[in-house]
Amino acid sequence: MNSSTVVKVSFKEQMLQAREEAIIRVVNLLLAEKGFEAMTVDEVAAAVGIAKASLYKHFPSKEDLAAAAMVSVMRRAQDFIATLPADAAPLDNLRAVVRWTMQVKLAGEMPSLPSQNSKLRSVLMGNRDYMDGLMEVSDVLGGWIEAAQAQGTLNARIPAIAILYTVYARACDPVLEFLKMGGQHSDAQIIELVMATCFDGLNARPA
């Protein structure tokens, strides 16, 4: 009879983990609202309700804070993709990921991607958890794109990599914010409008 070993986590460790999760949530929201350059360590500490010295015990730099938030969102994306049915049409799964991405973005929980010359970008490129997650997500999405092209449901004349980057661009699409600020559409309506332009294009269609 096999017996499983139960690993007990001390109360102190539980508290530290809960604090780290709270820090990452705050950083995620600040990155979505202000971006990496405008975010400060002081406001992160203040929002969490801890001293800056305590914050540095968890994350030694602003870049490490932001990288942890980006890894957290990447894992959320991986978890969502894992819930999608393996036997669904590739285009349906691709559309589901784009819709989920925009929902997270409109909820203010999608960190802004770092600029090309940002120090954060260099940190992320060296972060194994982030890069492994990015490669895994890219492989899955790329497979769906190529399968949909083979089925004729996506334009086969467009390189798959261009479609992949178009999908990723929805995570930082300013159109979402512009439509939301206009106040004329609900989040659900905004998502459907951008889904239409993303997948159906702007050409007029027969009524």
Side-chain angles (χ1 to χ4, degrees), residues 162-182:
I163 297 177
L164 177 63
Y165 289 156
T166 298
V167 169
Y168 279 144
R170 302 289 73 74
C172 51
D173 192 343
V175 173
L176 298 170
E177 280 85 355
F178 291 150
L179 289 173
K180 193 176 181 76
M181 285 189 298

Side-chain angles (χ1 to χ4, degrees), residues 14 16 20 25 35-36 58 60 72-73 80 83 87-88 93 95 128 146 161 184-185 198 202:
Q14 292 179 45
L16 289 173
E20 283 196 3
R25 281 196 299 272
F36 175 72
H58 295 274
S72 175
V73 171
F80 175 77
T83 68
D87 57 350
N93 279 344
R95 290 174 65 92
R128 183 168 182 175
E146 291 177 348
I161 190 68
Q184 298 181 12
H185 304 91
C198 180
L202 298 175

